[in-house]
Amino acid sequence: MIDTVFFDLDNTIFDFNKAEHIALAKTLEELGIPPSEETCARYSVINLAQWKLLEKGVITRREVKLRRFRLLFEELGSDASPEQAAATYESYLGIGHYFMEGAEELLQSLYGHYRLYLATNGTAAVQKSRLSSADLERYFDGIFISEEIGFNKPDVRYFESCFARIPGFSRESSVIVGDSLSSDIQGGAGAGLRTIWFNPAGVPLSEASGGENIMPDREIRRLSELPQLLVEM
Ligand SMILES: [Mg+2]
């Protein structure tokens, strides 16, 4: 029986793609760069690649924040400051929050029936600001932000640090729900958790895993499927 649920935050509870797009457009505008669809799409590709490098331990969080803008500005031939862009972007990102469809209803329905924890790779200042602006802390028994933990998902040390902070924790009765195969599912499984892959776009597993052997225990397309699934698990 499941009694403890870890939730990823971005693109699982919060619609990060939307928040990112709005914060990015405002930042570029402020720096005098037209936030065209093409430019925003390039940023997304570059940004994702930097986060993958962070997951692999190749670069630091600070480098992610600067490199994504530096690489974008290089491509655009812009002499805008990556440092200024990073600071502006984070301040905008901290203001906005947008829920994934059904996320608030989901948390309301699980609250009181399960111990709920947030497990996120975000930046502490940004995530805390977004959580409090969305009034979300009240649902969670604990919020584990990788910057504060000192390790990032999928590092097993991240998960072990989380487990150590949970009284009476048991892997057998715990599950992680997240949209990322590499950080949530592979990381969770590596730490001994059961895993539920949130796959709203219905991307085939073989495609989403990029050839890596990652096998979630369960998969959902909508958050509204989760309450029943947790009972069955
Ligand atoms: Mg995510």
Side-chain angles (χ1 to χ4, degrees), residues 8-12 153 178-180 183-184:
D8 169 51
L9 182 61
D10 284 317
N11 290 333
T12 298
K153 293 180 290 183
D179 70 296
S180 165
S183 66
D184 305 318

Side-chain angles (χ1 to χ4, degrees), residues 91-128:
S91 68
Y92 279 127
L93 203 54
I95 301 170
H97 67 266
Y98 310 91
F99 285 104
M100 297 297 285
E101 190 188 335
E104 275 185 289
E105 295 82 348
L106 174 70
L107 293 173
Q108 280 160 11
S109 76
L110 299 182
Y111 181 73
H113 302 284
Y114 298 89
R115 294 197 294 182
L116 305 177
Y117 293 92
L118 263 183
T120 173
N121 267 0
T123 303
V126 172
Q127 299 301 52
K128 283 182 175 168

